Amino acid sequence: MSAQPDHLFGSAANDADAQETREWIDALSAVVASGGRERAHFLLEQLLEQARQEGIDMPFSATTGYVNTIEPQDEERCPGNLEIEERLRAYMRWNAMAMVVKANRLHPADGGDLGGHISSFASLANMFGAGFNHFWHAESENHGGDCLYIQGHSAPGIYARAYLEGRITEEQLLNFRQEVDGKGLSSYPHPKLMPEFWQFPTVSMGLGPLMAIYQARFLKYLHARGIANTENRKVWAFLGDGEMDEVESLGAIGVAAREKLDNLIFVVNCNLQRLDGPVRGNGKIIQELEGEFRGAGWNVIKLIWGGYWDPLLARDKDGILRKIMMDTLDGDYQAMKANDGAFVRKNFFGRHPKTLEMVAKMSDEDIWRLNRGGHDPQKVYAAYHKAVNHKGQPTVLLVKTVKGFGMGKAGEARNIAHQAKKLTDEDIKAFRDRFNIPIPDDKLPEIPFYKPAEHTPEMEYLHARRKALGGYLPKRRVKADEQLKVPALDAFKSVTDPTAEGREISTTQAYVRFLTALLRDKELGPRVVPILVDEARTFGMEGLFRQIGIYNPEGQKYTPQDRDQVSYYKEDVSGQILQEGINEAGGMASWIAAATSYSTSNRIMVPFYIYYSMFGLQRVGDLVWAAGDMQARGFLLGGTSGRTTLNGEGLQHEDGHSHILAGTVPNCVSYDPTFAHEVAVIMQDGLKRMVEKQENVFYYITLLNENYAMPGLQPGTEEQIVKGMYMCKPGGKSEHRVQLLGSGTILRESLAAQELLEKDWGVAADVWSCPSFNELTRDGQDCERWNLLHPTADARVPFVTRQLQNHVGPVIASTDYMKAYAEQIRPFVPHGRVYKVLGTDGFGRSDFRSKLREHFEVNRHYIVVAALKALADEGKVPAAKVAQAISQYGIKADKVNPLYA
């Protein structure tokens, strides 16, 4: 290989005065030697500022050399016993491997493997060890506890540690990924499945970093508002370098910098591999991420090289080694660790005669021992120490590791590493030997777990370190210690009473009235967290700006344009509103942080996040599912809901399916109310369940922007409203009768159809408000399940059946959502009754509400036609009467099905 030029600082050919350049470089070196790096940094800043004043177009680079940020002489020394820590890590590595391999040696009759991952924890073990032994505080009397977002695929390593600590049994390890019988361990971090262990679900790639940012911000929010002392708490998020390609991973890093979240630490495990192959085979992921984070305003700490490299770097006076380090591609670095020392000597050090000479006296084994930064416990400690003591910025640690470290030919640095879970006996023996696990050869086929005796130095050290840090982690609080009382329903009379004659409001206004009343409550009011995504004026909430203020850690340094207005835009250090801007994912992440505060901060908070319903569950559905996993408690409010309510906005804005999506989340309780009193009853009941009873449910409620008179609460219907169905207007007396069901805005079309049926056709109709077809469905399915499994017991009757069984006639359900929404209750309609469903299947479009309801065939005329057709199907009226109604109402029978229009 040809030699590289000795001059490595820029291009000598373009240097008009090489001597002057050398003098400047020597001068800088002299300043570093005499005044230190801080003095040199100051002088460079002054020079750069002068260059700006002179109008010089300056070069910019957000990246530094491919070396460690912290120089060896600046490292904080680890106070722990590194020898004992190494032994403990070895036992954890072994047990994590054994757990996965054992699980995948099971052969059930129906086939299939359980899966699991060895290689991720193998690369992270040192980083977890340093955190657990020296940095991560559990919740205690003097500390609120640090929040750990654990890289999901490394879960076996966390279980392995908990096993040594005595928090997890051997039986549980043997039942890894076998949870149905209640003895096993979840595949990844899942609070729902292990509610006293895992805090945060992280294995939907990208959600961990996003949620961690907003969790750190919410801790600052709690402190600023005087609700909890969180000043000594940290949020740690462990991420994969491949995971950083997810849009959510980097999408909010500017928020963290802007809010100065110095309580936030990202640790990016840069093992250079994703599931299939290299993250950046032709590039350098550490350099790329350094530029991204530094450009966003983060403190960046790179930990690339372990301590065995320090003597070589100290001898690299010409910078040749550093240049080779920079020039070597990640794909090549992976290959280095997939081979051996001889390969590294030839293909890395052999790139220049001077570097080849540098290692001439080193054996191939010595070269192979040259470690990456993430596998050096001293350097990991020093990086963590620097991170936790940094002020004014979030910190990201870019730590280079080897995927599958210790797995040898079974997976170390190989593209198959992520899928490696079925190690051979030979692989297991090599693993045992590499980490000196005291298991004899005759026991190896059993792959036994290893746990030292309780009073050995290792076990005493393990427990002592966690005792010093307040207890064991991860650990999740299931309920808050505090008990808060919810105002009675009569505290919301402004919402439950009928509107005054001539007065009309929307259900969105009803929600704002409810929220305003709740904010006045001395006990619960301060715990309300209104969350906005730049739509306060759309929903009529701008009055809250001045009333409770918008949280901003900088306060309000400017004079707002509308300062002379009653509802001016007020930002405040202790503001109560979280204003996320045009950022639904951020709004949802903030909501999750608030909705799980009872667990993470032992403080019950009540978040209300309102947004355009179309931009909720459809847009951030993965976060909603994570919220369910995290046992979130709070209110999600889909404004301007339904396919036909939002005049003029069109296809992208008109929501006809969010309730279908809400029904897929088991602990999401969803409602589509029509009237103000329904909003109040549902929300007050939700507060009782989530705050007083601390039930692990959250609510999705759709709201309308249509104004109309509100009839007020009929006493005695509260329980039926919550269950999802009550009669809101009975019909008159007639020979023929139908039952009209509706929700949201289309219930009013059912009420109008009631009048037309009686006036035009002599048919009586009872009108039922059904605020939740989803809750009705769950009740019905629960009854069906119970009846199936208890065939000799008295059958349970679904609520829908009980409500309708004494009210005769066909049943017609109409909503502003897809037909599938109301179709769910078909099995529970009394037997022998015709059931017809109208809904808004198809893409939305722009027009007036009346035209949209005509287009989607859900207006009063179509409801009348459906009712008459149902009666005709039962032989109660002639089919000609249906045709007459179609003609009378000008319905275009041959128009295109709106599903395909």
Side-chain angles (χ1 to χ4, degrees), residues 776-795:
L776 294 174
T777 301
R778 289 175 175 178
D779 168 78
Q781 291 174 345
D782 197 45
C783 289
E784 279 198 339
R785 176 185 174 275
W786 196 91
N787 295 339
L788 174 69
L789 299 175
H790 302 83
T792 61
D794 292 339

Side-chain angles (χ1 to χ4, degrees), residues 727-779:
M727 186 182 289
C728 64
K729 190 175 182 183
K733 295 183 178 181
S734 176
E735 177 186 358
H736 303 305
R737 194 172 205 88
V738 295
Q739 306 300 316
L740 303 182
L741 281 55
S743 72
T745 187
I746 302 302
L747 175 62
R748 296 178 64 240
E749 294 295 322
S750 296
L751 289 165
Q754 179 190 46
E755 296 179 10
L756 291 178
L757 281 165
E758 185 172 359
K759 177 172 68 73
D760 294 349
W761 311 101
V763 174
D766 299 321
V767 180
W768 299 79
S769 175
C770 298
S772 183
F773 284 96
N774 282 342
E775 287 301 293
L776 294 174
T777 301
R778 289 175 175 178
D779 168 78

Side-chain angles (χ1 to χ4, degrees), residues 99-117 176-178 187-188 419-423:
M99 185 192 328
V100 175
V101 174
K102 280 174 175 285
N104 286 279
R105 288 190 174 183
L106 300 175
H107 302 291
D110 57 351
D113 295 323
L114 290 170
H117 303 279
F176 174 58
R177 293 195 170 202
Q178 301 165 71
S187 54
Y188 303 119
Q419 280 73 30
K421 53 205 73 180
K422 291 185 175 183
L423 274 60

Side-chain angles (χ1 to χ4, degrees), residues 507-669:
T507 52
T508 300
Q509 289 171 286
Y511 153 67
V512 175
R513 288 184 179 184
F514 183 95
L515 187 64
T516 302
L518 185 62
L519 285 165
R520 295 194 191 106
D521 184 79
K522 290 184 179 179
E523 185 172 36
L524 203 53
R527 301 304 182 88
V528 171
V529 185
I531 300 173
L532 301 168
V533 283
D534 210 31
E535 293 285 4
R537 300 181 197 279
T538 301
F539 302 124
M541 297 177 64
E542 64 270 26
L544 296 179
F545 290 163
R546 183 171 183 178
Q547 180 184 341
I548 57 177
I550 299 164
Y551 170 70
N552 189 316
E554 298 286 322
Q556 192 161 41
K557 299 176 179 178
Y558 65 96
T559 302
Q561 171 271 322
D562 55 356
R563 182 64 179 82
D564 59 339
Q565 303 296 310
V566 173
S567 301
Y568 74 90
Y569 197 82
K570 178 187 175 184
E571 299 188 74
D572 191 270
V573 172
S574 58
Q576 194 163 349
I577 297 168
L578 289 175
Q579 169 64 279
E580 306 300 347
I582 306 172
N583 180 7
E584 285 83 6
M588 190 66 205
S590 270
W591 183 87
I592 289 173
T596 56
S597 178
Y598 73 91
S599 177
T600 56
S601 296
N602 199 19
R603 296 292 187 275
I604 294 172
M605 305 299 287
V606 189
F608 292 82
Y609 171 30
I610 186 168
Y611 49 83
Y612 272 54
S613 66
M614 190 66 159
F615 304 141
L617 281 92
Q618 172 173 288
R619 187 160 193 157
V620 294
D622 202 9
L623 283 164
V624 175
W625 188 256
D629 191 351
M630 292 173 70
Q631 309 292 275
R633 305 170 188 168
F635 293 96
L636 297 173
L637 302 136
T640 62
S641 64
R643 192 82 83 196
T644 69
T645 63
L646 193 56
N647 284 344
E649 288 291 338
L651 186 151
Q652 192 64 51
H653 287 69
E654 293 173 352
D655 163 35
H657 50 275
S658 65
H659 278 288
I660 303 288
L661 300 175
T664 65
V665 185
N667 48 350
C668 176
V669 183

